[in-house]
Amino acid sequence: SCGAEEMGRVIRTQRKGAGGIFTAHSSKRKGAAKLRKLDFAERHGFLRGVVKEIVHDSGRGAPLAVVHFRDPYKYKINKERMVAAEGMYTGQFIYCGKKAKLAIGNVLPIGKLPEGTAVCNLEHYAGDRAAIARASGNYAVIVSQNPDEGKTRVRLPSGSRKILKDTSRAMVGVAAGGGRPEKPLLKAGRAFHKYRVKRRGWPYVRGVAMN
C-alpha cells in the first residue's frame, strides 16, 4: 500500500475483498445446484422426475443428483442439478410438489411436512430454489407448524431456529456425503488439494508468526 508509513496495513480480509487471486476456482464445477423452478404443477400437484446420475462436484463435499423431468408445457426434458439426499440412487423416481408423498428425496412445501422431519435443500423464500442445509451431511428439522399464519418453525444446521413461510420447499432427508469431516486430513498435501479446487484460503499464516 502506498504511503505505508503513515497509514495502517491492508489486512488479509481487505485483500480478499479485491478479488484477483482470491476468487473461487469454479472452472471445473458442474454448475449451480438448485431445485426445480417453482411452477403451477409444483404449487398444486406434483411432478415425477428420475435420478439419472449422481456426480461429484469439484470443490463441494456433497454429491449432486442429476434429475430429469418432463417439461409440463413443451415436448422436452428438463435436466435439474440438485444436492443429493443420503440414500438417493440412480433410476430412483422422485416427486416434487404439494401433493408429493413423504419419502427420501422428494421435494415438498415445508407446511406439508410433519414435525421432526429432517430436510435438506431448504428454501429461504418460496421459489428461491434451495439455500439452506446443502453442505454434506447437513439437515434442518421441522420444529412446529402454524397453519393459521402460514408459518413453519425450523431448526437450522447451526442450531438456530427460524420461522419460514410454509410455502418454502425442502427435500426430505439429510444431504449426502455425511461424515466427511470425521477423517483427519493428516498431511499438508491433502489440505492443498482440498483448497486448490475451492479458493485461495490455504496455507494460512498466523499473525503471531509474522515479524
Side-chain angles (χ1 to χ4, degrees):
S1 56
C2 58
E5 294 79 49
E6 62 272 10
M7 290 165 73
R9 193 162 172 191
V10 177
I11 61 173
R12 187 185 282 133
T13 10
Q14 291 170 318
R15 287 177 44 223
K16 286 190 171 172
I21 59 167
F22 291 106
T23 51
H25 304 155
S26 52
S27 68
K28 290 192 170 56
R29 296 195 185 166
K30 299 287 186 287
K34 295 179 170 181
L35 298 177
R36 275 190 83 249
K37 211 164 149 195
L38 183 57
D39 56 6
F40 183 88
E42 277 208 41
R43 281 198 301 274
H44 299 282
F46 68 86
L47 253 111
R48 186 177 82 167
V50 60
V51 180
K52 280 290 180 188
E53 56 176 345
I54 291 184
V55 294
H56 165 71
D57 188 16
S58 177
R60 186 194 292 272
L64 300 183
V66 178
V67 188
H68 289 197
F69 292 94
R70 298 215 8 223
D71 190 291
Y73 303 107
K74 290 197 176 102
Y75 176 69
K76 64 175 181 180
I77 286 187
N78 292 336
K79 303 176 181 68
E80 303 290 345
R81 218 181 285 102
M82 46 189 83
V83 173
E86 189 74 59
M88 264 189 176
Y89 54 90
T90 51
Q92 178 185 5
F93 287 125
I94 64 170
Y95 298 88
C96 299
K98 186 177 138 187
K99 301 269 172 72
K101 292 227 167 64
L102 183 70
I104 299 282
N106 287 0
V107 178
L108 289 85
I110 52 177
K112 295 279 171 207
L113 300 171
E115 293 168 9
T117 312
V119 296
C120 58
N121 285 320
L122 171 62
E123 289 187 323
H124 202 159
Y125 305 105
D128 75 7
R129 304 181 67 184
I132 302 168
R134 291 149 46 104
S136 53
N138 269 10
Y139 61 94
V141 178
I142 310 290
V143 177
S144 62
Q145 301 281 12
N146 186 344
D148 304 337
E149 289 178 25
K151 297 279 170 67
T152 301
R153 214 176 140 86
V154 183
R155 191 173 84 238
L156 305 185
S158 64
S160 60
R161 284 151 197 269
K162 195 170 180 66
I163 293 173
L164 301 174
K165 290 191 74 165
D166 60 12
T167 48
S168 300
R169 298 169 298 165
M171 181 182 281
V172 181
V174 176
R180 180 176 49 81
E182 308 293 317
K183 183 183 175 190
L185 284 169
L186 281 179
K187 53 186 197 174
R190 294 212 180 122
F192 169 79
H193 288 297
K194 174 182 172 178
Y195 287 101
R196 188 182 62 155
V197 290
K198 287 180 183 282
R199 69 203 75 80
R200 189 173 185 282
W202 188 90
Y204 197 85
V205 182
R206 310 190 313 279
V208 176
M210 298 180 194
N211 193 1

